[in-house]
Every structure is written in structure tokens, then in C-alpha cells.
Amino acid sequence: MNRKTLVLPAVVGLLAPVLVACGDSKGGASGGGTIVVGTTDQITGGKDNSAPLDPAHAYDTGAWNVLRPSLQTLMRTPHGGGLPTPEAAESCSFTDNASQSFRCKLRSGLKFADGTAVTAEDVKFSIERVRAIDSDNGTAGLLSTVDKIETKGDHDVVFHLSIPDATFPFKLSTPVASIVSKKKYDGKKLRDGFQVDGSGPYTMKATVKDNRISKVVFSRNESYKGDIKVLNKKVEMRVFSDAKAMGQALETGEIDVMTREMSPEQIKTLTTNRNKDIELVEMPGLSIRYLAFNTSDPSVKDKAVRQAMASVIDRGQLAGQVYGSAAEPLYSLIPASIGAHKNSFYNEYGEPSVEKAEKILKKAGIRTPVKLKLHYTTDRYGAGTAREFEVLRSQLNKSGLFQVTVQGAEWSAFRAAQKRGEYPVYGMGWFPDFPDPDNYIAPFLDKDNFLNSPYVSNEIRSLIPQSRRHADRTAAAGAFSTMQDIVADDVPVLPLWQGRQYVAARKGIGGIELLLNSTSDLQIWELKAVSK
């Protein structure tokens, strides 16, 4: 068997969290009970999102942070990034030199939480189910290179890919590739509601009110067999309406850990005003924020409008004024901490310039001011989002070239309207599925992309599969360089900034420096009660 070697570009500083403060706590977990984790990630159901926790549909960080502890994947991404390692599988490898045939052998004794054995046929069913359902959320795109799946006995499964894809092991580590049971999940339709059943390290029980999760209790699955070592018996994830309420709960000891998304003010306070009872951990992050365009909408159909916006917007001022040290300017879809990054937007537009923007619009014969409405979600990306869009509006209007208004909406309504193409310009965030430059390009620009974008670049769509041929990912840098330059010229998306990650916890909780991995996944199994 010829095992292919995947080389992942270096990710700067992922193994160097910074601990800012520490002290005593009266939190519940320190007494040996349930560890309570706070989050502001909203998980909602309803008409436009009836199956928020079905792995064939779910494609957001909040939902994935419920799926990862509850379901198993063949592989998983280690905390510090790097190559995926076997999880439900005992071993996985490419069996050819072309990265087109990938074989996994399951661990012995795998069981779903209800006691049913997990077999290779369950793996086949789960992957084929995602592709058959082909949700409009874009999840099936991660498995687009799968041609057919072959099983050999109960433990061996072989993925035959339609084209070479060196990123395939990373894709098998995402919740889209979760293993589910035919007894619980229909092969041709989504599973409505908020229940998740699998073979992961925990079982889960959600509390739901008004079609919205208020908390999820994760209990250790004693039947679990896999690569993850579980360091606690029970974790409760409690959902808060905003960062302020979550912060107050941490201060009072109602929760033990505060994670996504802390407000810029909270981060600043915990950094500068040392709280003896609370510990803050800072870690480099790979998340990005960007503006996206419905390039079919008359207001932004001419790329000169989008180019002029790229010329006017001051990313440094935006990041510093709204997020302080928690964000830094971004000049490409691929963040600076990922190999193959190129400052294409800066190379194309330089420092913010009203004069340059005016020339772009004048050359294209576009009358000014250009009237635009910028849309954003009020409950997905943290407390700074509304302020961020006020700054964007101010920058664009101050140029005299634009007449901009902004409008916010809850994520459930926002995402549905965005997918229907109702927004000409809208703000989005991206937390990567896996730490590879491919995952900052294909989800936005490939066929059947996550944004349902009408924009098409035939050159980019030919370069994406070419880049996946390289098992040594550094060899794909040339293709990614070209793709980044095309994006900077056409501006179907406009990168704004990339962020850092923060976790705050009361003393008595261990493992917080491992709670978030490089792609912002919550690894709740790393948490444990420790002596003060």
C-alpha cells in the first residue's frame, strides 16, 4: 500500500496560546459537577431551516459544535492543525499516486449510542446520503469529488474519486462526513428537528424554546470507541442572546467557560483589568469576515462598483476602531496565517483612495453617488457586527461616491434571504472547515458554492481541481496566487479582516487552551475540573 504524504502549509503560532489572568472560582465544575460552557451561537429551526442539526444540511460553526461531540467521522483535525488523524477509522490512506483512491479501515467494536454496530455500510450510506439530498446550504460541495464508494466486509471502505483530490482526508474530518445510522436518518430526506444520534464521544439532549436551542447537555457515551480521550463526564452548552449576558453569567459563576463570541469590550477589559477569578486565553484564529455581492443585481453588476468599494474601504481603520487587537486587516480570501496567502487586494488597490475609486467609476460611466444597502446578521458574528457596518457606511458615504444604508436581520431570516439572492451586498464570516487554502476558495467560487453566488470565473473553476492534484500543498501555491488575483480584479467578494480566538474561564477548569482548535471547533472533551 502506497501511503500518500500530505504537506500542510505552516500555520503561525497555533500552538502558542496566551494566558492573561487567573484566580479562584466558585464555579459549578470545580466541585466535580457538569462543566457549563457559554456561547452566543444561535441554532434555530423553522420553515427555512427545519433540519438545523442534520449533517447533510448543517454548515455553520454553531451547529457543527453540536455535531462534532455527538457524531463520529473517519478522521479528525488535531488541535494545532496539521494532517488529519484517524478517528472512527483505525487507519486511512491514499492507495495510489494520483490522490484518487482513498481507503479506510474502521476500528473494531464501533457502536452507535443505541448499541447498533457501526459498519462500513453505514459510512457508505452516510456519504451517499449527503450527496443524494444535496442541500441548498452547500454542504454536499465538500464531497463533490466522490465518484463511488466500495465496501469490503464490515470494516473496509474505499472512496473512488472522480478527480485527484489531496484535500479529501480533510473533508472526511468535517461533520458533513459524519457517520449516521439508517435507523435514525432517511437516506433521501433531511431529519427535521434538533435531535442528533450517532457514535461520538457524547450523547446529546437539546432544550428548545420557540424553535431555538437554549441549551445542549452532552453526556459521555460509555460505548464510544475512537481516537478522542474524554476528560469529563458531562458538559452543558448554554446559549445566550448576546455577549453581555454571557459575560455576566461567567462573572456570577452561572457558567464556567465563555467562548464564541466575546465582545471587543470584554476582551479589552479582561486583557487590561486583571480579574483574579477569570482566565483569558488568546489563540491565533483562521476566521475571516468579508462582504459578498450578488453580481446579478443591477446595483453591483458592474464590477467597477465593487472595485470602487475595494478602493475606498479602510480595513485598518475598520478593524482597529471596532475590534482593536482582536482583528487585523485582510487583503485576500486566504488569511495571512495560511500558506499560499497573497495580498492581492492591496497589490491591486493600495492604500484607501477616494481619488482612485472615482476614476474607476468615471471610466465605467457610472453616475455617483451609487445607492446601496448593506445587509448584515445581528446574531451570528458577535456584538461588534452592527458597529462594523456603521463604520463601513461612514467610510463609503464620506467618499461622496456612495449613498449607503445598512440593515440587520436575525440569521435565520438573513441566510434564507441571502440564498434567494435578495441582498445585493451582505456581510458574512467564514470559519474554515479545514486549514487549507482550498477551503477559502472553493466554498465561495466553485460550482454549487456555499453563497449560491451567480458569479462564475471559468479560470478559477479550472484551477481549483488542478490545485487539488498536489499532495504537497505548497506545490499548489501558484494556482492559488492566480485565483487570489482574479478575485481582487473581479471582486465577487471583498475580504475585510481576520480575527483571533478567545476563551475565558473561571479558575478550576483545565484544558481551556485546547478548547478551540485552529478552525474554531469546540473540543469540549478537553475540558476538566482541576484543583485550585
Side-chain angles (χ1 to χ4, degrees):
M1 182 179 293
N2 178 26
R3 182 178 178 88
K4 298 291 291 183
T5 300
L6 302 178
V7 180
L8 184 71
V11 181
V12 179
L14 289 179
L15 297 179
V18 179
L19 278 67
V20 178
C22 60
D24 291 329
S25 169
K26 297 180 181 178
S30 59
T34 302
I35 298 175
V36 184
V37 177
T39 180
T40 59
D41 284 328
Q42 305 296 315
I43 304 174
T44 59
K47 181 180 178 181
D48 293 315
N49 191 31
S50 62
L53 293 179
D54 190 317
H57 174 76
Y59 205 1
D60 61 89
T61 302
W64 277 18
N65 282 335
V66 174
L67 296 181
R68 287 187 186 277
S70 310
L71 301 174
Q72 272 190 294
T73 50
L74 289 170
M75 308 192 78
R76 73 182 183 101
T77 301
H79 172 261
L83 304 180
T85 58
E87 207 288 87
E90 178 181 290
S91 62
C92 287
S93 64
F94 281 108
T95 60
D96 64 344
N97 290 321
S99 300
Q100 205 164 344
S101 180
F102 195 74
R103 181 171 185 167
C104 290
K105 181 177 181 180
L106 294 180
R107 296 176 187 271
S108 298
L110 291 178
K111 294 181 180 180
F112 291 109
D114 65 2
T116 306
V118 177
T119 69
E121 282 297 324
D122 292 305
V123 176
K124 183 175 187 289
F125 165 77
S126 301
I127 302 298
E128 290 181 342
R129 176 178 182 269
V130 173
R131 291 171 52 77
I133 291 173
D134 194 16
S135 164
D136 67 356
N137 224 14
T139 46
L142 281 173
L143 303 173
S144 62
T145 58
V146 175
D147 181 28
K148 63 179 180 179
I149 305 172
E150 178 185 4
T151 61
K152 297 181 179 181
D154 288 340
H155 294 91
D156 290 310
V157 57
V158 181
F159 299 92
H160 299 282
L161 308 182
S162 57
I163 58 175
D165 185 3
T167 68
F168 189 66
F170 291 99
K171 296 170 181 177
L172 288 182
S173 71
T174 69
V176 175
S178 295
I179 305 168
V180 298
S181 167
K182 294 179 182 179
K183 292 173 59 178
K184 305 290 185 179
Y185 293 82
D186 191 297
K188 295 183 179 180
K189 65 180 182 180
L190 295 172
R191 180 182 181 180
D192 292 346
F194 297 90
Q195 186 58 37
V196 180
D197 293 281
S199 57
Y202 296 87
T203 58
M204 63 81 73
K205 182 177 182 180
T207 299
V208 180
K209 183 178 181 181
D210 298 328
N211 245 344
R212 185 184 300 266
I213 286 182
S214 59
K215 72 176 180 179
V216 181
V217 176
F218 297 97
S219 301
R220 187 163 65 188
N221 176 12
E222 301 298 341
S223 299
Y224 168 74
K225 292 183 182 296
D227 181 56
I228 294 171
K229 183 179 180 180
V230 181
L231 301 180
N232 54 66
K233 290 186 177 182
K234 187 173 289 187
V235 174
E236 179 182 314
M237 182 184 295
R238 197 169 300 177
V239 181
F240 292 87
S241 58
D242 54 46
K244 181 179 179 180
M246 180 171 61
Q248 291 173 343
L250 183 70
E251 290 177 4
T252 61
E254 181 184 342
I255 64 175
D256 301 295
V257 182
M258 177 167 66
T259 179
R260 298 171 29 86
E261 290 277 345
M262 297 172 62
S263 72
E265 293 76 19
Q266 288 171 328
I267 294 168
K268 182 178 180 181
T269 298
L270 287 172
T271 302
T272 57
N273 301 325
R274 302 289 178 95
N275 186 325
K276 68 176 183 177
D277 297 326
I278 296 173
E279 182 177 44
L280 180 71
V281 175
E282 173 192 336
M283 293 164 280
L286 299 179
S287 64
I288 67 171
R289 299 288 173 84
Y290 59 97
L291 291 178
F293 299 90
N294 176 358
T295 53
S296 293
D297 190 279
S299 64
V300 293
K301 187 172 184 179
D302 193 318
K303 73 176 183 180
V305 174
R306 309 192 300 266
Q307 290 174 330
M309 292 177 68
S311 296
V312 168
I313 290 174
D314 187 334
R315 295 168 177 79
Q317 181 194 59
L318 176 68
Q321 189 171 334
V322 180
Y323 297 102
S325 62
E328 57 184 300
L330 180 63
Y331 298 94
S332 169
L333 275 176
I334 300 174
S337 43
I338 288 284
H341 166 82
K342 183 179 183 180
N343 283 325
S344 294
F345 274 83
Y346 190 86
N347 295 342
E348 180 74 19
Y349 304 101
E351 295 293 333
S353 171
V354 174
E355 180 181 359
K356 184 171 184 176
E358 187 174 17
K359 287 180 180 179
I360 292 171
L361 294 172
K362 186 175 181 179
K363 183 178 180 181
I366 294 173
R367 297 178 62 182
T368 57
V370 179
K371 294 183 179 180
L372 294 174
K373 179 178 285 188
L374 275 56
H375 295 264
Y376 67 94
T377 176
T378 58
D379 60 344
R380 174 62 52 166
Y381 303 123
T385 307
R387 175 61 177 152
E388 177 182 346
F389 275 77
E390 290 297 329
V391 172
L392 285 170
R393 177 175 66 178
S394 176
Q395 289 184 359
L396 291 166
N397 287 349
K398 188 177 179 180
S399 73
L401 303 175
F402 296 92
Q403 186 176 327
V404 172
T405 58
V406 298
Q407 182 176 340
E410 288 191 357
W411 174 254
S412 56
F414 172 90
R415 176 63 168 148
Q418 176 266 311
K419 288 192 291 186
R420 291 193 296 264
E422 295 178 9
Y423 298 155
V425 190
Y426 52 95
M428 294 285 278
W430 183 250
F431 300 87
D433 307 323
F434 50 88
D436 185 276
D438 178 89
N439 198 237
Y440 291 91
I441 297 291
F444 312 108
L445 304 170
D446 207 354
K447 184 181 178 181
D448 300 323
N449 58 74
F450 164 73
L451 296 175
N452 288 352
S453 172
Y455 169 79
V456 175
S457 166
N458 291 325
E459 185 174 3
I460 287 177
R461 291 190 179 181
S462 67
L463 286 171
I464 289 173
Q466 290 180 35
S467 72
R468 291 171 176 167
R469 293 178 178 273
H470 299 287
D472 179 349
R473 301 304 289 146
T474 60
F480 286 116
S481 174
T482 300
M483 288 188 273
Q484 290 170 90
D485 287 344
I486 294 171
V487 171
D489 182 58
D490 288 348
V491 200
V493 292
L494 177 54
L496 298 172
W497 55 271
Q498 70 178 87
R500 295 181 175 88
Q501 301 184 120
Y502 293 87
V503 176
R506 299 187 68 86
K507 192 177 181 183
I509 303 298
I512 60 171
E513 70 281 359
L514 300 175
L515 178 59
L516 286 172
N517 72 4
S518 62
T519 55
S520 299
D521 303 321
L522 282 177
Q523 302 183 137
I524 61 171
W525 48 84
E526 298 285 0
L527 296 175
K528 58 185 177 182
V530 297
S531 58
K532 302 176 187 178

